Amino acid sequence: MLYDFYINLLTMITFLFIMGSIIRHIDFDLSKLERRIFIGVMFGILSIILMLSTIKIVGTSTILDLRNFSIVLASYYGFTVCLITALITIIFRALYYGVNLSALLALCNITATVLVCSYIERRKLSSFKTWVFKAGGAILALLVTISYLLWNVPNKNIVLMYYFLMNFSAAIIIYFFRESIDLSNHKYSKYKAEASVDFLTGLNNVRRFEKLATSLLEDAKKNHEDLCILMIDIDHFKLVNDTYGHSSGDAVLQQLAYILKLNCKQGDIVSRNGGEEFTVLLPRRTPSEAFKIGENIRKSIEDNKFFLLDNKKIKITISIGIAAFPHNAQNLKELLLKADQALYCAKEAGRNKVCYACKLKIND
């Protein structure tokens, strides 16, 4: 019996580590519904494995399994995931063991577990309290069901005691492993986000920019679409730092980043590529559309008053260079070089300008 219990626990713990790794490392190219279906099916498979790995109670003909915990764990991913797991569990239970009184009681037990767990999940309790109420509700529903089935069995109390002790022990062990995995995944997500986000402005950093630009360019080639880039540089930004200090310069960068985001639509990629240089990737935009967006950004910056740390207000301007695939660049290196040359032309033309790279040539 203890060996069977140990195998069940190892199965759940192994599954938790596998699911944690899948969710952490794989970027699903799926919609939210598809993700939920995938996770629900995975927990449904866990439920089936647990039903096939039954634990025989010594001295009785009674067997138990820990399938309810697959539903409890699934509930952390939302009601849809929990419901899918429950449906898979119910259907397999009916097909494998047949439709009888036990199957109907199992249906009631699983339904109660889904409802209790879904209700607790919406209560926004602490992690420990959430698990206690979810696992406690699942164990209570199970004990009520088993009590009814074993009503006339002489050693009913012994069986119930074994059910309770094993489920209670499993709940404690699973809780600590789940917390450890969740903490690890949370730290991983945090460090991953920090590695791709500019710490000062909250925009994409240059590493994230390069990854997104490469991906967008591949999509543009595949779908025969335009991809434009705005390369933006603050005019005379060194003078701001020298005059008002680097802290005030940082405040200017933060406000500029905010204005850039306000002037861009969902799907546009705004990044800080270093120092006072920013970029905006514009998927599926023509050069003329990109030029209009660049002008709107330039005008917004020109009209805005930037607040410094000592409550002083200053005005700044920016220069913008624009390049476009496939009009004047065929790869990312050319796109960046063309945009950089267009930015240089904007600076040479007196700054506070938007320049498009249509007439520029790349010198080998």
Side-chain angles (χ1 to χ4, degrees), residues 228-231 287 290-291 294 320-324 328 338-339 342 354-357:
C228 296
I229 182 172
L230 309 182
M231 188 170 287
F291 192 87
I320 302 176
I322 303 176
N328 46 43
K338 282 285 190 179
V354 178
C355 182
Y356 177 56

Side-chain angles (χ1 to χ4, degrees), residues 105 109 137-151 160:
L105 289 174
N109 171 39
I139 293 172
L140 180 61
L142 178 64
L143 291 177
V144 170
T145 303
I146 299 301
S147 296
Y148 184 82
L149 284 174
L150 302 178
W151 189 260
L160 290 175

Side-chain angles (χ1 to χ4, degrees), residues 247-259:
S247 296
S248 290
D250 289 346
V252 170
L253 293 173
Q254 291 171 331
Q255 293 168 67
L256 175 64
Y258 178 74
I259 294 173

Side-chain angles (χ1 to χ4, degrees), residues 43 51 138 166-167 180 199 232 249 268 295 342:
F43 277 106
M51 279 190 280
M166 287 198 172
N167 279 275
S180 175
F199 74 96
I232 303 165
D268 298 340
E295 268 297 322

Side-chain angles (χ1 to χ4, degrees), residues 284-318:
R284 297 176 294 279
R285 305 290 183 84
T286 63
S288 60
E289 290 173 325
F291 192 87
K292 290 178 181 178
I293 293 170
E295 268 297 322
N296 289 337
I297 292 173
R298 185 199 63 77
K299 191 72 168 59
S300 296
I301 298 298
E302 184 182 33
D303 294 340
N304 187 70
K305 291 181 179 180
F306 288 79
F307 288 85
L308 307 182
L309 295 183
D310 56 2
N311 292 324
K312 287 183 179 179
K313 300 175 185 177
I314 63 169
K315 304 271 282 185
I316 65 169
T317 60
I318 58 173

